[in-house]
Tab-separated table of all heavy atoms in Angstrom:
chain	number	residue	atom	x	y	z
R	179	GLN	N	5.694	8.842	25.809
R	179	GLN	CA	4.972	9.598	26.814
R	179	GLN	C	4.876	11.090	26.480
R	179	GLN	O	4.232	11.856	27.209
R	179	GLN	CB	5.658	9.439	28.178
R	179	GLN	CG	5.677	8.019	28.703
R	179	GLN	CD	6.765	7.152	28.084
R	179	GLN	OE1	7.576	7.622	27.280
R	179	GLN	NE2	6.785	5.885	28.432
R	180	GLY	N	5.535	11.501	25.405
R	180	GLY	CA	5.483	12.900	24.995
R	180	GLY	C	6.414	13.810	25.774
R	180	GLY	O	6.313	15.039	25.659
R	181	THR	N	7.326	13.256	26.551
R	181	THR	CA	8.214	14.079	27.364
R	181	THR	C	9.591	14.280	26.737
R	181	THR	O	10.411	15.018	27.286
R	181	THR	CB	8.385	13.462	28.765
R	181	THR	OG1	8.849	12.108	28.627
R	181	THR	CG2	7.076	13.465	29.527
R	182	PHE	N	9.832	13.650	25.611
R	182	PHE	CA	11.124	13.808	24.935
R	182	PHE	C	11.260	15.240	24.410
R	182	PHE	O	12.253	15.921	24.692
R	182	PHE	CB	11.226	12.802	23.793
R	182	PHE	CG	12.545	12.806	23.071
R	182	PHE	CD1	13.626	12.075	23.555
R	182	PHE	CD2	12.713	13.516	21.891
R	182	PHE	CE1	14.839	12.061	22.889
R	182	PHE	CE2	13.918	13.515	21.217
R	182	PHE	CZ	14.985	12.784	21.715
R	183	ASP	N	10.259	15.707	23.681
R	183	ASP	CA	10.334	17.037	23.077
R	183	ASP	C	10.170	18.161	24.094
R	183	ASP	O	10.625	19.282	23.863
R	183	ASP	CB	9.272	17.182	21.985
R	183	ASP	CG	9.595	16.354	20.752
R	183	ASP	OD1	10.784	16.073	20.515
R	183	ASP	OD2	8.652	15.972	20.026
R	184	THR	N	9.511	17.881	25.205
R	184	THR	CA	9.270	18.936	26.198
R	184	THR	C	10.355	19.005	27.262
R	184	THR	O	10.284	19.834	28.173
R	184	THR	CB	7.910	18.716	26.887
R	184	THR	OG1	7.931	17.445	27.562
R	184	THR	CG2	6.781	18.729	25.867
R	185	SER	N	11.359	18.150	27.173
R	185	SER	CA	12.414	18.124	28.191
R	185	SER	C	13.170	19.449	28.238
R	185	SER	O	13.465	20.064	27.202
R	185	SER	CB	13.403	16.990	27.900
R	185	SER	OG	12.774	15.741	28.037
R	186	GLN	N	13.489	19.860	29.459
R	186	GLN	CA	14.267	21.068	29.693
R	186	GLN	C	15.539	20.716	30.465
R	186	GLN	O	15.740	19.569	30.885
R	186	GLN	CB	13.437	22.091	30.476
R	186	GLN	CG	12.150	22.503	29.796
R	186	GLN	CD	12.393	23.211	28.470
R	186	GLN	OE1	13.323	24.026	28.357
R	186	GLN	NE2	11.578	22.900	27.458
R	187	HIS	N	16.381	21.715	30.680
R	187	HIS	CA	17.644	21.476	31.383
R	187	HIS	C	17.399	20.908	32.776
R	187	HIS	O	18.145	20.024	33.238
R	187	HIS	CB	18.445	22.774	31.473
R	187	HIS	CG	19.775	22.608	32.152
R	187	HIS	ND1	20.774	21.795	31.661
R	187	HIS	CD2	20.263	23.148	33.318
R	187	HIS	CE1	21.823	21.838	32.459
R	187	HIS	NE2	21.542	22.639	33.479
R	188	ASP	N	16.356	21.378	33.450
R	188	ASP	CA	16.062	20.857	34.792
R	188	ASP	C	15.724	19.370	34.757
R	188	ASP	O	16.022	18.634	35.714
R	188	ASP	CB	14.904	21.635	35.420
R	188	ASP	CG	15.322	23.030	35.873
R	188	ASP	OD1	16.543	23.301	35.896
R	188	ASP	OD2	14.430	23.847	36.184
R	189	ASP	N	15.094	18.916	33.671
R	189	ASP	CA	14.794	17.486	33.538
R	189	ASP	C	16.068	16.670	33.372
R	189	ASP	O	16.188	15.548	33.898
R	189	ASP	CB	13.868	17.245	32.343
R	189	ASP	CG	12.538	17.955	32.491
R	189	ASP	OD1	11.922	17.819	33.561
R	189	ASP	OD2	12.129	18.627	31.530
R	190	VAL	N	17.021	17.213	32.631
R	190	VAL	CA	18.317	16.551	32.472
R	190	VAL	C	19.013	16.456	33.820
R	190	VAL	O	19.535	15.398	34.204
R	190	VAL	CB	19.192	17.316	31.460
R	190	VAL	CG1	20.570	16.659	31.343
R	190	VAL	CG2	18.510	17.367	30.098
R	191	LEU	N	18.987	17.541	34.589
R	191	LEU	CA	19.615	17.542	35.905
R	191	LEU	C	18.929	16.573	36.855
R	191	LEU	O	19.587	15.936	37.691
R	191	LEU	CB	19.587	18.957	36.500
R	191	LEU	CG	20.568	19.973	35.923
R	191	LEU	CD1	20.359	21.335	36.573
R	191	LEU	CD2	22.005	19.504	36.136
R	192	ALA	N	17.612	16.423	36.722
R	192	ALA	CA	16.882	15.515	37.606
R	192	ALA	C	17.322	14.080	37.402
R	192	ALA	O	17.479	13.320	38.369
R	192	ALA	CB	15.382	15.662	37.371
R	193	VAL	N	17.514	13.681	36.137
R	193	VAL	CA	18.021	12.332	35.878
R	193	VAL	C	19.438	12.193	36.398
R	193	VAL	O	19.795	11.189	37.048
R	193	VAL	CB	17.967	12.012	34.367
R	193	VAL	CG1	18.623	10.662	34.094
R	193	VAL	CG2	16.542	12.001	33.864
R	194	ALA	N	20.261	13.190	36.156
R	194	ALA	CA	21.650	13.142	36.618
R	194	ALA	C	21.718	13.055	38.136
R	194	ALA	O	22.593	12.379	38.690
R	194	ALA	CB	22.407	14.362	36.110
R	195	ALA	N	20.790	13.716	38.835
R	195	ALA	CA	20.791	13.687	40.293
R	195	ALA	C	20.462	12.301	40.832
R	195	ALA	O	20.900	11.931	41.928
R	195	ALA	CB	19.786	14.709	40.831
R	196	GLN	N	19.679	11.531	40.073
R	196	GLN	CA	19.340	10.170	40.505
R	196	GLN	C	20.477	9.187	40.298
R	196	GLN	O	20.495	8.121	40.914
R	196	GLN	CB	18.106	9.667	39.751
R	196	GLN	CG	16.807	10.339	40.157
R	196	GLN	CD	15.638	9.746	39.396
R	196	GLN	OE1	15.501	9.936	38.192
R	196	GLN	NE2	14.783	9.019	40.103
R	197	THR	N	21.401	9.563	39.434
R	197	THR	CA	22.414	8.585	39.020
R	197	THR	C	23.851	9.001	39.303
R	197	THR	O	24.755	8.182	39.154
R	197	THR	CB	22.279	8.314	37.516
R	197	THR	OG1	22.387	9.556	36.793
R	197	THR	CG2	20.924	7.701	37.196
R	198	HIS	N	24.082	10.245	39.719
R	198	HIS	CA	25.445	10.731	39.928
R	198	HIS	C	25.508	11.585	41.193
R	198	HIS	O	24.553	12.283	41.536
R	198	HIS	CB	25.921	11.569	38.736
R	198	HIS	CG	26.054	10.802	37.469
R	198	HIS	ND1	24.973	10.495	36.663
R	198	HIS	CD2	27.142	10.253	36.842
R	198	HIS	CE1	25.389	9.802	35.605
R	198	HIS	NE2	26.687	9.644	35.697
R	199	SER	N	26.647	11.554	41.855
R	199	SER	CA	26.820	12.364	43.061
R	199	SER	C	26.930	13.842	42.733
R	199	SER	O	26.590	14.694	43.561
R	199	SER	CB	28.069	11.900	43.819
R	199	SER	OG	29.226	11.978	42.993
R	200	ASP	N	27.416	14.170	41.540
R	200	ASP	CA	27.505	15.572	41.092
R	200	ASP	C	26.699	15.712	39.802
R	200	ASP	O	27.224	15.532	38.702
R	200	ASP	CB	28.965	15.956	40.853
R	200	ASP	CG	29.136	17.444	40.549
R	200	ASP	OD1	28.134	18.099	40.173
R	200	ASP	OD2	30.269	17.938	40.665
R	201	PRO	N	25.394	16.006	39.920
R	201	PRO	CA	24.544	16.034	38.721
R	201	PRO	C	24.944	17.092	37.708
R	201	PRO	O	24.833	16.866	36.499
R	201	PRO	CB	23.139	16.291	39.282
R	201	PRO	CG	23.346	16.844	40.652
R	201	PRO	CD	24.608	16.251	41.152
R	202	HIS	N	25.419	18.242	38.162
R	202	HIS	CA	25.813	19.289	37.212
R	202	HIS	C	27.009	18.838	36.371
R	202	HIS	O	27.045	19.058	35.152
R	202	HIS	CB	26.138	20.586	37.964
R	202	HIS	CG	24.936	21.254	38.553
R	202	HIS	ND1	24.104	22.077	37.814
R	202	HIS	CD2	24.405	21.192	39.805
R	202	HIS	CE1	23.128	22.516	38.591
R	202	HIS	NE2	23.287	21.990	39.805
R	203	ALA	N	27.958	18.172	37.011
R	203	ALA	CA	29.112	17.676	36.263
R	203	ALA	C	28.695	16.575	35.295
R	203	ALA	O	29.178	16.521	34.155
R	203	ALA	CB	30.168	17.153	37.233
R	204	ALA	N	27.795	15.702	35.733
R	204	ALA	CA	27.332	14.623	34.858
R	204	ALA	C	26.592	15.176	33.652
R	204	ALA	O	26.793	14.706	32.517
R	204	ALA	CB	26.440	13.671	35.637
R	205	ALA	N	25.742	16.161	33.874
R	205	ALA	CA	25.006	16.768	32.762
R	205	ALA	C	25.959	17.479	31.809
R	205	ALA	O	25.791	17.412	30.577
R	205	ALA	CB	23.961	17.746	33.297
R	206	ALA	N	26.965	18.136	32.360
R	206	ALA	CA	27.938	18.835	31.513
R	206	ALA	C	28.755	17.851	30.686
R	206	ALA	O	29.039	18.101	29.500
R	206	ALA	CB	28.858	19.691	32.385
R	207	THR	N	29.128	16.741	31.290
R	207	THR	CA	29.878	15.724	30.552
R	207	THR	C	29.049	15.144	29.415
R	207	THR	O	29.545	14.946	28.297
R	207	THR	CB	30.316	14.593	31.507
R	207	THR	OG1	31.158	15.136	32.519
R	207	THR	CG2	31.062	13.502	30.746
R	208	ALA	N	27.766	14.864	29.692
R	208	ALA	CA	26.877	14.349	28.648
R	208	ALA	C	26.740	15.359	27.513
R	208	ALA	O	26.767	14.983	26.326
R	208	ALA	CB	25.515	14.014	29.233
R	209	ALA	N	26.609	16.619	27.844
R	209	ALA	CA	26.456	17.661	26.820
R	209	ALA	C	27.735	17.839	26.014
R	209	ALA	O	27.694	18.062	24.793
R	209	ALA	CB	26.058	18.982	27.477
R	210	ALA	N	28.890	17.716	26.669
R	210	ALA	CA	30.161	17.870	25.960
R	210	ALA	C	30.358	16.756	24.948
R	210	ALA	O	30.943	16.973	23.875
R	210	ALA	CB	31.315	17.889	26.959
R	211	GLY	N	29.869	15.566	25.269
R	211	GLY	CA	30.000	14.445	24.346
R	211	GLY	C	28.991	14.475	23.218
R	211	GLY	O	29.139	13.758	22.222
R	212	ARG	N	27.955	15.309	23.367
R	212	ARG	CA	26.908	15.442	22.345
R	212	ARG	C	26.599	16.925	22.164
R	212	ARG	O	25.550	17.419	22.591
R	212	ARG	CB	25.645	14.680	22.780
R	212	ARG	CG	25.863	13.189	23.005
R	212	ARG	CD	24.652	12.571	23.711
R	212	ARG	NE	24.793	11.141	23.871
R	212	ARG	CZ	25.483	10.560	24.850
R	212	ARG	NH1	26.127	11.328	25.752
R	212	ARG	NH2	25.557	9.251	24.956
R	213	PRO	N	27.490	17.667	21.529
R	213	PRO	CA	27.376	19.133	21.506
R	213	PRO	C	26.123	19.660	20.813
R	213	PRO	O	25.715	20.804	21.073
R	213	PRO	CB	28.648	19.570	20.766
R	213	PRO	CG	29.105	18.363	20.027
R	213	PRO	CD	28.705	17.187	20.850
R	214	HIS	N	25.506	18.872	19.968
R	214	HIS	CA	24.325	19.342	19.253
R	214	HIS	C	23.038	18.678	19.760
R	214	HIS	O	21.982	18.803	19.142
R	214	HIS	CB	24.478	19.079	17.753
R	214	HIS	CG	25.710	19.700	17.160
R	214	HIS	ND1	25.890	21.067	17.072
R	214	HIS	CD2	26.841	19.122	16.649
R	214	HIS	CE1	27.070	21.317	16.527
R	214	HIS	NE2	27.667	20.162	16.266
R	215	ALA	N	23.118	17.993	20.877
R	215	ALA	CA	21.967	17.239	21.383
R	215	ALA	C	20.931	18.161	22.003
R	215	ALA	O	21.260	19.190	22.612
R	215	ALA	CB	22.434	16.221	22.414
R	216	THR	N	19.682	17.784	21.866
R	216	THR	CA	18.587	18.470	22.542
R	216	THR	C	18.544	18.021	24.003
R	216	THR	O	19.196	17.051	24.399
R	216	THR	CB	17.250	18.153	21.880
R	216	THR	OG1	16.967	16.744	22.074
R	216	THR	CG2	17.283	18.457	20.385
R	217	HIS	N	17.720	18.706	24.796
R	217	HIS	CA	17.562	18.290	26.190
R	217	HIS	C	16.963	16.878	26.259
R	217	HIS	O	17.337	16.081	27.131
R	217	HIS	CB	16.667	19.280	26.930
R	217	HIS	CG	17.278	20.632	27.107
R	217	HIS	ND1	18.540	20.829	27.640
R	217	HIS	CD2	16.793	21.877	26.808
R	217	HIS	CE1	18.806	22.133	27.662
R	217	HIS	NE2	17.773	22.778	27.175
R	218	GLY	N	16.066	16.580	25.357
R	218	GLY	CA	15.489	15.239	25.331
R	218	GLY	C	16.524	14.182	25.026
R	218	GLY	O	16.536	13.107	25.646
R	219	GLU	N	17.418	14.465	24.084
R	219	GLU	CA	18.469	13.515	23.738
R	219	GLU	C	19.448	13.329	24.892
R	219	GLU	O	19.897	12.200	25.158
R	219	GLU	CB	19.193	13.984	22.482
R	219	GLU	CG	18.344	13.877	21.222
R	219	GLU	CD	18.939	14.592	20.033
R	219	GLU	OE1	19.794	15.496	20.227
R	219	GLU	OE2	18.553	14.261	18.894
R	220	LEU	N	19.765	14.395	25.603
R	220	LEU	CA	20.661	14.279	26.748
R	220	LEU	C	19.997	13.496	27.877
R	220	LEU	O	20.638	12.656	28.528
R	220	LEU	CB	21.075	15.668	27.243
R	220	LEU	CG	21.972	16.472	26.307
R	220	LEU	CD1	22.208	17.865	26.867
R	220	LEU	CD2	23.305	15.759	26.088
R	221	ARG	N	18.739	13.790	28.098
R	221	ARG	CA	18.000	13.059	29.139
R	221	ARG	C	17.939	11.572	28.811
R	221	ARG	O	18.157	10.715	29.678
R	221	ARG	CB	16.597	13.658	29.236
R	221	ARG	CG	15.766	13.229	30.409
R	221	ARG	CD	14.432	13.959	30.338
R	221	ARG	NE	13.511	13.519	31.378
R	221	ARG	CZ	12.235	13.867	31.418
R	221	ARG	NH1	11.730	14.672	30.472
R	221	ARG	NH2	11.442	13.429	32.386
R	222	SER	N	17.676	11.249	27.548
R	222	SER	CA	17.635	9.856	27.112
R	222	SER	C	18.994	9.190	27.271
R	222	SER	O	19.085	8.034	27.723
R	222	SER	CB	17.180	9.782	25.652
R	222	SER	OG	17.286	8.465	25.150
R	223	ALA	N	20.051	9.892	26.906
R	223	ALA	CA	21.394	9.320	27.005
R	223	ALA	C	21.751	9.003	28.449
R	223	ALA	O	22.323	7.940	28.747
R	223	ALA	CB	22.415	10.278	26.404
R	224	LEU	N	21.415	9.909	29.373
R	224	LEU	CA	21.709	9.666	30.781
R	224	LEU	C	20.901	8.485	31.310
R	224	LEU	O	21.418	7.658	32.079
R	224	LEU	CB	21.407	10.924	31.595
R	224	LEU	CG	22.425	12.066	31.462
R	224	LEU	CD1	21.872	13.355	32.077
R	224	LEU	CD2	23.744	11.694	32.138
R	225	LEU	N	19.644	8.389	30.904
R	225	LEU	CA	18.820	7.254	31.313
R	225	LEU	C	19.395	5.946	30.795
R	225	LEU	O	19.518	4.962	31.533
R	225	LEU	CB	17.395	7.428	30.788
R	225	LEU	CG	16.415	8.259	31.604
R	225	LEU	CD1	15.121	8.472	30.822
R	225	LEU	CD2	16.115	7.580	32.938
R	226	GLY	N	19.738	5.928	29.519
R	226	GLY	CA	20.257	4.709	28.908
R	226	GLY	C	21.547	4.239	29.543
R	226	GLY	O	21.743	3.038	29.780
């Protein structure tokens, strides 16, 4: 859909908000486990 490369931090938080009670903590945990990941990769990981 072309949204992988255009993903921003807010997009990562939006997925986390749908799946976790504390989206900021969920996004931070995902980023800590993938320190070199792009926003698209983090968004994909949370979705998966």
Side-chain angles (χ1 to χ4, degrees):
Q179 297 80 3
T181 55
F182 184 84
D183 289 334
T184 61
S185 294
Q186 301 297 320
H187 181 62
D188 286 349
D189 299 311
V190 177
L191 285 177
V193 174
Q196 289 182 291
T197 56
H198 295 80
S199 57
D200 187 341
H202 290 278
T207 299
R212 300 168 177 82
H214 303 294
T216 66
H217 292 309
E219 290 168 339
L220 292 175
R221 191 179 175 189
S222 173
L224 285 168
L225 275 172

